[in-house]
């Protein structure tokens, strides 16, 4: 994995000196993070966790095998960090049309508790009437409104479909180690239960049981995934200026200080769209406070070159782009020869789609650079467990550094309470 | 359908006078648009088109019935406006888990030509090996790279699966009325062909055959959809200050002039996510030029209240929100009583999910308003054909007004060419 940066030719005045200033702070903020001396230091469990979960991985894989044998569908009930990381990893590593395969090897993962749309839940129940399923319920407290509501409805459904005794075999909970409504219920009912660590926040939880259980059920190798994170941990713990997390943190903060207000996460593969959603929570929720922070948005190309492309090229000069470059594809499809050549594409004969996609990516970066959109590129070899594990750890670690550079606590989310307070009042909760 | 606006309490200094100025310009820009006197006036066919397509709708419905009888899947090959509008309408009006229903009444609509991901196309071909399918190929010229490549590959596939003769019965093209590579091929091969009107741009084309054919195949009533557009046309052609398109155009431009740079399209139903993507192209591509325009982004709540919610509440003060409020849901699910009440949710007993979702929406708007995020709300009665048709025409018409208020040509997209030029050079095209 590596990182490349091209600053804009048009508007790079302030960049170099700002970048140098920020770079000189990196040894300091690295120390804050690694030695747990900064704000939010009670939420740094994720830094070392991947090193110490071999036993947990084995246990999770056993539960996953049990669910795989029993079910066609696992419904994951969770919101925020209990939803986005799981979805990101599964979609980046799965068949694009998973739900349409005639012979699926592993259960489909569907989600609930991430929306209160009545039609969504109604449609979900209709599907669950017809299919064998299990539930994974994820909530630290058990009282976050959306997942709690979804679980109450689905608990009713699964108990009336299978009976209370069998339902217990089909419910796994992931919650606090000792307290809270979901923990209490889990003990009462005797559900298989995993622990949400106290020192890992929601948006950093994908490599805990929160993400790993459903990811394993989907047939993804969680040992390799966590191993990727361990490999990246070795890299980004190095205190030197070649550290790619240092570079990413410094570049994006320098661009912010130099007048950019939006960071666009760019992919060239639709399977990475949910990864961008995970990244948006990680950076938006970590940094969007005290009136600060880059606004995180995402595009998927070349699809969005025919949508937001015009704006990025030529609209208000608000953004820079961070492209996730993937070197190799899994499959092999080349442009076939056509003797009529009505579509004038024979010049691409025998070129692979990935080759063409890469040229589109290069061409786009040159075009956007000339339109004053600076370009960060983060490259990985391919979409597999190890590389996704690396990417996750990289973005998590860089987010901690970046938040400290910005001068905020990257591990809290006080602003999330505001809507809840109003909602509870409107709902007449005491 | 109606529109409501609440300006922020914290930072409304300049707003009122800017809004008045812009409002006073509306009769003028309305006249530019309706009487085709402004920039881009050769692309205004969409204004009257819904009134005059009864014959076309009948023809499309016949073709749709033919495809429905023959196929489990229709692959729509298209990008930009030939992709986003279709996806938006189908997802807003379909079952959330369409692909998982045991007994599906209508074909599934899948997409190609909107991405050059090799793995995506490879996975698609794998599915098409197993299923009965047809192709709808949408391209004005036939030489837009992404759909042209996808069609070359899929033409090969469908001809080797069904033989050349039967393949012809399974390919419908939507292209220029007389010229271009796809038109030439369509005549040669004798494909059933529909016309992309000369005077309707891609992002305005969802209510032409471009969107209507695949939407009809998906089982959606296109007569009602177009009728919704006609009803809205009556409303927004009225020259007076109660015109909701006038209001939307003036408010968003006033907020832009008053310092906001991002417009967030907000929904509370995941089935509207693709509608937001369509809106992003419509406004981003229409207005993002000459260094101007609001940056269009989207969130889906309450999902994203646990992601970007923190940023919106408390990060850099860049945005205002436009919420699509939907009054009624199709289904009926209430919170069941639980005598244990471990989750403490009995206070919500017998409340519907939609009621709770609406309280979350209200609570969010109050919270964000107090965080200096002005709130536009566009309300519709329910998600059905007529209301979606209304919404489409409303946003299209308001976009024309809004672009003229901004002082740009809302109907061109010169910036989209930049990446193509570079890509062709890199691919060695003459």
């Amino acid at each position: 994995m590596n990182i490349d940066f091209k600053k804009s030719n048009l508007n790079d005045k302030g960049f170099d000196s700002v970048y140098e200033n920020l770079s000189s702070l990196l040894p300091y903020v690295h120390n804050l993070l690694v030695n747990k001396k900064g704000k939010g230091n009670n939420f740094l469990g994720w830094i070392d966790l991947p090193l110490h979960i071999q036993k947990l991985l084995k246990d999770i894989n056993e539960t996953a095998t049990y669910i795989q044998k029993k079910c066609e569908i696992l419904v994951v009930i969770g919101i925020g960090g209990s939803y986005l990381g799981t979805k990101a990893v599964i979609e980046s590593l799965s068949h694009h049309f998973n739900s349409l395969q005639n012979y699926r090897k592993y259960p489909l993962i569907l989600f609930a508790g991430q929306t209160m749309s009545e039609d969504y839940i109604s449609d979900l129940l209709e599907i669950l009437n017809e299919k064998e399923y299990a539930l994974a319920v994820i909530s630290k407290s058990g009282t976050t409104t959306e997942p709690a509501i979804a679980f109450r409805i689905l608990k009713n459904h699964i108990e009336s479909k299978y009976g209370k005794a069998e339902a217990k075999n089909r419910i796994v909970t992931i919650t606090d180690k000792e307290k809270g409504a979901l923990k209490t219920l889990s003990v009462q009912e005797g559900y298989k239960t995993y622990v949400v660590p106290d020192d890992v926040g929601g948006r950093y939880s994908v490599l805990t049981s929160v993400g790993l259980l459903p990811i394993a059920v989907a047939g993804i190798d969680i040992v390799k995934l966590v191993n990727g994170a361990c490999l990246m941990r070795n890299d980004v713990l190095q205190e030197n200026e070649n550290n790619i997390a240092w570079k990413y943190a410094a570049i994006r903060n320098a661009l912010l200080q130099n007048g950019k207000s939006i960071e666009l996460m760019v992919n060239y593969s639709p399977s990475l769209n949910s990864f961008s959603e995970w990244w948006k929570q990680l950076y938006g929720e970590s940094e969007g406070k005290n009136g600060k922070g880059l606004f995180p948005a995402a595009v998927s190309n070349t699809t969005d070159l025919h949508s937001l492309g015009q704006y990025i090229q030529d609209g208000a000069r608000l953004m820079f782009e961070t492209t996730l470059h993937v070197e190799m594809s899994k499959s092999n499809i080349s442009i076939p020869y056509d003797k009529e050549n009505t579509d004038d594409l024979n010049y691409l004969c025998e070129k692979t789609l990935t080759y063409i996609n890469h040229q589109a990516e290069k061409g786009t970066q040159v075009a956007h650079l000339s339109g004053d959109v600076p370009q960060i590129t983060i490259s990985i070899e391919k979409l597999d467990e190890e590389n996704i594990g690396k990417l996750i750890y990289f973005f998590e670690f860089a987010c901690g550094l970046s938040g400290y550079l910005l001068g905020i606590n990257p591990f809290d989310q006080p602003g999330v309470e505001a809507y809840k307070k109003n909602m509870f009042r409107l709902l007449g909760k005491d």
Side-chain angles (χ1 to χ4, degrees), chain A residues 149-197:
Chain A
I149 286 175
F151 184 40
R152 189 180 269 216
I153 292 167
L154 285 166
K155 185 168 176 282
N156 239 9
H157 187 273
I158 202 167
E159 287 178 352
S160 55
K161 176 163 180 165
Y162 297 105
K164 215 166 150 56
E166 171 60 11
K168 285 179 192 186
N169 300 326
R170 291 171 179 263
I171 297 174
V172 180
T173 58
I174 304 173
T175 187
D176 190 83
K177 68 175 184 299
E178 52 191 13
K179 60 183 193 301
L182 188 56
K183 178 65 187 176
T184 307
L185 187 71
S186 301
V187 173
Q188 270 172 23
E189 303 276 357
Y191 299 145
K192 170 76 181 169
T193 299
Y194 291 95
V195 172
V196 181

Side-chain angles (χ1 to χ4, degrees), chain A residues 325-328 353-363:
Chain A
H325 173 79
V326 183
E327 203 53 54
M328 299 181 335
L353 283 177
T354 298
Y355 172 80
I356 300 168
N357 210 7
H358 283 163
Q359 305 319 306
E361 183 180 327
K362 279 185 206 163

Side-chain angles (χ1 to χ4, degrees), chain A residues 5 71 106 109 145 157 172 194 199 203 206 221 242 280 283 288 309 321 325-326 371 373 376 397:
Chain A
F5 176 61
C71 299
Y106 303 107
I109 311 300
T145 312
H157 187 273
V172 180
Y194 291 95
D199 55 357
R203 60 187 174 275
V206 57
D221 188 331
N242 294 321
K280 278 160 71 175
Y283 280 79
E321 293 185 307
H325 173 79
V326 183
V373 181
I376 300 176
F397 195 85

Side-chain angles (χ1 to χ4, degrees), chain A residues 25-79:
Chain A
L25 295 173
L26 272 160
Y28 171 74
V29 299
H30 184 97
N31 174 53
L32 282 185
L33 188 64
V34 172
N35 296 314
K36 309 191 176 182
K37 292 176 178 168
K39 288 180 190 164
N41 57 5
N42 44 345
F43 286 101
L44 295 174
W46 56 271
I47 293 182
D48 294 332
L49 203 64
L51 299 177
H52 309 302
I53 54 172
Q54 301 314 311
K55 232 177 86 186
L56 177 66
L57 294 177
K58 196 161 165 277
D59 188 315
I60 286 176
N61 273 329
E62 283 166 15
T63 305
T65 305
Y66 174 84
I67 294 172
Q68 285 164 350
K69 283 188 186 143
K70 249 184 150 67
C71 299
E72 304 164 80
I73 287 174
L74 173 70
V75 181
V76 175
I77 300 177
I79 195 165

Side-chain angles (χ1 to χ4, degrees), chain A residues 298-314:
Chain A
V299 293
S300 183
N301 289 341
T302 62
T303 309
D304 285 332
L305 291 170
H306 297 254
S307 167
L308 283 183
Q310 165 67 38
Y311 192 109
I312 298 166
Q313 189 67 48
D314 205 23

